[in-house]
Amino acid sequence: MSTELFKKMAQSIIDGDTDVSVELAKQAISENIDPILAITDGYVVGVNTVGEAFAAGDAFLPELVMAGEAMKAAVATLEPEMTKRGTERKMLGKVVLATVEGDIHEIGKSLVGTMLTASGFQVFDMGVDVSSAKLIEKVKEVDADILAMSALLTTTMVKQKEVIDLLDSQGLRRKVKVMVGGAPVTRDWVQRIEADGYSEDAIGAVKVAKELLGIS
Amino acid sequence: MSKKIKSISNPKLHLEILSPYDVRKLHDATLNIIENVGIRFPSKKALQIWESNGAVIDHEKMIVKVNPQIIESAIKNAPPTYNLCARDSQQDLPLDGNHVYAGTDGCGVEVIDIHTGERRTSKLQDVADVARVADATEEVAFHWVALSAQDKPVETRGLYEMKAIWENSTKHLQTESIYNEREAKVAIEMAALIAGGKEALRKRPVLSLMQCTAPPLGHDGGSLDASLLAAEAGIPTGFMTMSSALTTGPATMAGVLAVGNAEVISATALLQLAFPGAPVFYAAAQTASDLRNGAYTGGGPEDFLFGAATNVLSDFYDIPLSMGSFATGAKEPNWQAGIENSLSTFMASISMSDMLLGLGFLHGSRIWSYAQMMMDAEIFSIIHKTLQGITVDDETLALETIAKVGPGGNFLSQKHTLKHMRDLFLPEFMDRRPYNEWEEKKDDARDWALVKARNILANHEPDPLDPKLSKELDKMIAAEEKY
């Protein structure tokens, strides 16, 4: 019975249909199906299918993003039920994500957030123009594994260094991995500010995040 | 070295890419977006101007919705033609709709070192070096700030860059790297010093400003405030959309044009409401994001079509256009760079875009290459020649000469040949040598282009800026730094 539902869940992700994925999550709750099972045997199967199609060149970025969003919405619908049951989904790690202070460029940062979420990371997206102090506060608050910062301007890119220096001075640098991104970010810059990783695009960012946390 | 500037004018080739009906549809769609969806203007000054002109404002979201009539009547105040002026008035650029000028591209973060060939982070000296090479290159009509002076503090970086360019070239400077009110204020004072006072600057703007929009359908607060200051001072100002199909724009090209147009036209209208008659220009570099990784591609057939279509839009609004062409996504000067830069520049030129940006970059305007710059200059020259088309008259038909040579002869020793042979294009970087000569050396355009750039950098002495002015500029930057 639930096999049929799981198949539908996977399909809703493949179709990138948030309405359907949320509807099926509600159905699962009303039918008393374990939400963890719904995720692992239902939705995640869909995410993996889209991921494989993407790797093979048969699916494209918009399909990945839509699958990610449908997944996120379904999981959010299931969350109260998980809390009720006292169960928790095993996540790959906690990521605090933002565009640095003085910079309002959002799209690349948000894309990274969607990809990380879809891959099983817990992402705290703080939006754009986020001060260094606030970023560090959040890292402490959620005990983040990764801090990921975006900057699109050479004049705001320096904030990435400011944050790393602040982490250092507060004795937090070794507790959190730092990823940076944005059009002006180069390997040279990454080495200079001693960040742990960087990627030129959102797909690569997932790979880097996994590597940083030793996940194969 | 020559003070000549090569520009495209009176083209004989034409292209109809959008019908008048298409343009009308795009315009209506644009007005619809501005009126019903709204545009984000995160600047107190901008919101005040909109409010006093009757726009509907959501102050919390800073989104402005404007009645089409307000937009249309504001845009009508924009001057259709004006000059971008240069330190040397012989190098002034009339933006009159009958000239296509190319500039250097910007603003990159790395440079392939002209001596060592190594890729490294850009610094102030690179800004000066590129300006010097551009000063001697007739295909370059004006400067953008090619590279970011990353060895200078972020607060005054844009000012150092301007000074370096004025000290190394007499040509017009259009900066794309001044995008806050504080720096813009000093930049305008610096330009006034070069021009000989504020009124002189208004008459002879030796500086123009380019601001990027914040797509989709938004603007950056600092950019808006900087542009308002510039417009007040009579400095030509443009807003550039880089709307990108899939990510910051719809997947369809017409949709990208409409979204980008709404960004540019709304900001242009703002400047006209604040300072009616201020010189403004339309700027655009739309593209399609890559389907696989979402990257801004800066090349491909969509770019070529946007390049030709946008000048039809800016003509409709009767303001000059600064159009993104060149700027290949290729990682080195290669097949892709040749295709992208030739076709994008051809398409933008055939529709007579006033300004083209620009020469010299690899990897989507990130990595400066002197070799690419020189090869881009040759691409511009090839297109310049191509657009002259074919002249058919008694002189060019050469009937008398044909009769003289007759069947079986050749035309090499004819007076008519001597008279016209220099009309034929002589490339600098195309390999037309015998095969064995190539086989011995195995060199190509990239090597020759680099040698040319090295020679210019070593030997070209630009007309110096008065050392007194240089000192004054230093003081202005230092004062801003202390502040």
Side-chain angles (χ1 to χ4, degrees), chain B residues 130-315:
Chain B
V130 170
R132 183 173 289 240
V133 176
D135 189 64
T137 305
E138 66 176 12
E139 291 87 351
V140 178
F142 65 101
H143 304 271
W144 257 16
V145 177
L147 289 156
S148 180
Q150 292 171 85
D151 52 344
K152 290 292 164 191
V154 292
E155 294 78 13
T156 46
R157 189 176 287 173
L159 306 175
Y160 279 103
E161 291 163 351
M162 287 168 50
K163 174 173 175 271
I165 292 172
W166 277 323
E167 284 177 340
N168 285 279
S169 176
T170 47
K171 293 177 184 177
H172 179 81
L173 167 58
Q174 183 168 99
T175 177
E176 79 288 9
S177 69
I178 297 283
Y179 39 79
N180 63 64
E181 191 174 24
R182 181 187 47 73
E183 222 174 344
K185 191 166 170 282
V186 187
I188 292 164
E189 283 167 13
M190 288 167 66
L193 181 77
I194 300 283
K198 286 209 161 160
E199 275 319 299
L201 177 64
R202 192 177 291 279
K203 283 188 194 118
R204 292 190 44 75
V206 291
L207 177 71
S208 53
L209 237 62
M210 202 292 300
Q211 303 293 340
C212 275
T213 68
L217 303 180
H219 295 288
D220 176 79
S223 288
L224 289 168
D225 292 342
S227 71
L228 283 165
L229 272 188
E232 186 177 14
I235 287 178
T237 306
F239 280 86
M240 172 176 271
T241 176
M242 294 175 74
S243 186
S244 190
L246 278 194
T247 51
T248 54
T252 45
M253 281 187 278
V256 169
L257 285 174
V259 163
N261 201 39
E263 292 163 9
V264 174
I265 288 308
S266 62
T268 308
L270 172 80
L271 296 185
Q272 291 305 322
L273 288 172
F275 306 103
V280 288
F281 57 91
Y282 193 123
Q286 311 94 331
T287 190
S289 297
D290 182 72
L291 274 168
R292 294 180 202 88
N293 60 18
Y296 179 90
T297 53
E302 294 84 7
D303 272 47
F304 311 151
L305 290 163
F306 289 137
T310 308
N311 199 53
V312 183
L313 285 177
S314 74
D315 276 353

Side-chain angles (χ1 to χ4, degrees), chain A residues 54 60-62 104 107 153-155 157-158 183-184 186 188 192 200-201 203, chain B residues 109-110 121 148 150 154 157 179 214 220 246-248 291-294 363 366:
Chain A
F54 181 83
F60 298 120
L61 187 65
I104 55 158
I107 191 157
L153 307 168
T154 53
T155 47
M157 197 167 76
V158 292
T186 59
D188 186 42
R192 198 145 28 113
E200 280 195 35
D201 62 36
I203 313 292
Chain B
V109 290
E110 292 188 303
T121 299
S148 180
Q150 292 171 85
V154 292
R157 189 176 287 173
Y179 39 79
D220 176 79
L246 278 194
T247 51
T248 54
L291 274 168
R292 294 180 202 88
N293 60 18
H363 191 32
R366 289 191 191 90

Side-chain angles (χ1 to χ4, degrees), chain B residues 318-339:
Chain B
D318 212 4
I319 54 177
L321 171 69
S322 174
M323 189 67 213
S325 74
F326 299 104
T328 180
K331 309 298 182 280
E332 55 177 17
N334 59 13
W335 174 85
Q336 183 184 342
I339 289 180

